[in-house]
Amino acid sequence: FKLYNNKNKNNKLKNKKMSCSPTVQHISDCFIKPLYNSEEAKKPVYLSSWDLAMLSVQYIQKGLLFTKPSSFQLDPLLQKLKESLSITLVHFYPLAGRFKTLKQDNPPLYTVFIDCVNSPGARFIHANLDLTVSDILSPKDVPLVVQSFFDHDRAINHDGHELSLLTVQLTELIDGVFIGLSINHVLADGSSFWHFFNSFSEVFKANNGQKQSIPISKSPNFNHWFPEGHGPIINLPYTHHDQFISRHESPNLRERFFHFSAESLKKLKAKANQECHTSKISSLQALSAHMWRCITRVRKFPADHITSCRMAINNRARLEPPLPENYFGNCIQTVRGIASAGKLLENSLGWAAWEMHEAVVNHKNKDIREWVEKLESGMIYQLGFFDPSSIMMGSSPRFDMYGNEFGLGKGVALRSGYAHKFDGKVSLYEGIEGDGSMDLEVCLLPHFMASLETDKEFMDSLSS
């Protein structure tokens, strides 16, 4: 693989001097290209309206924390990760590219595409932190230092003109390792992010050091979807990026993880279905309704104040004809339940869960295509305009997260970076037990989090 190294001089001495400080120190970084380029990888990759709508939001930042096995050796791990990344990028070649803006005056044209040729590649960072796994997991709130486990802190996707579209960062702790991925959200939604993560792990497992192509079980499909008569070049109604990008700074938030066992979720689901005299409400719909009610209660809105619960939804199987499961790109929207605070809290969990159920089942091909028509007019999402009266349920416990081991055994925790954090953001993760349990990453303003921690209905619903 092609490797461009930028090692810090005397990094070992520097690391020893700074080891007393609980901050992440970058030891080295390099850029890694695909092991080889196919003919397809030499062509520009044009983006769908779903993708281009993400230009002003932030990178996806997710990763896994591992404890060091007794046989741990850092240098062989670093080398194998770099080699495996180079091999994986053969399959996921757009992630090694950079954005380019195509602009002309006559006829007017403005669009952004991926240049897979004129790029140094994906970025790989080796970092160090003089803390233990317990230092990361023991505090009630997620320590701020976790944000430094990821590249592209506070970057927006449009910055992919200059920044890598993918960065893998390995942060070595005293007794652990964190592997964090930052992927430009224009290229990937959650399904595609974990598709790459899973394939990277799969290649690592099969890699025997021979530096040759390795097949993967689920090849990505880069045939971006456009409505009939549209694409492959989407002409945005702009002449300069300042017309559609903005920077979002998160407020001072508390971020906590709450664990719902499979048994806890079964109880919530059974309660919601029983109260609605149905069996159609899913665990995810019941849990979303539960969080909607509990967070609305601690916010103490007036009874007539309108609230909502948004839920990320995958459109691949909902389009007609459906897109393949391995479609690589963005294919998501949000659906929502809406109610006044008074109506939401006066009614039962089942009532709120049915609102969420209806929002999901009524989201069909016609609604998706109508939304895409709006995006075709040049709509660009702006993260700073999220409704403070809402909550947002993001990510999905259905993704294979703990199956990524990299020779380190099963991870002990999932964590995310700075990106997409705001008051009312809830991210759903696979529970470490793998039995249908879920971990919720909840971000709230400090006084709302303090109230949630004393909310009896919420605390009683948690696993012990």
Side-chain angles (χ1 to χ4, degrees), residues 225-231 319-321 365 369 372-373 376:
W225 181 80
F226 303 95
E228 294 80 2
H230 295 260
L319 275 167
E320 296 176 6
N365 179 66
R369 290 176 179 271
V372 171
E373 283 183 23
E376 291 278 337

Side-chain angles (χ1 to χ4, degrees), residues 157-194:
N157 294 313
H158 188 271
D159 296 335
H161 283 78
E162 303 294 334
L163 302 180
S164 62
L165 302 181
L166 161 69
T167 298
V168 177
Q169 179 173 324
L170 180 146
T171 305
E172 183 185 10
L173 284 71
I174 293 171
D175 59 349
V177 172
F178 191 91
I179 297 177
L181 269 60
S182 300
I183 293 183
N184 194 291
H185 210 330
V186 168
L187 273 74
D189 57 14
S191 296
S192 296
F193 177 94
W194 289 105

Side-chain angles (χ1 to χ4, degrees), residues 77 93 263 361 379:
L77 174 61
Y93 57 89
E263 187 61 32
V361 299
M379 182 189 297

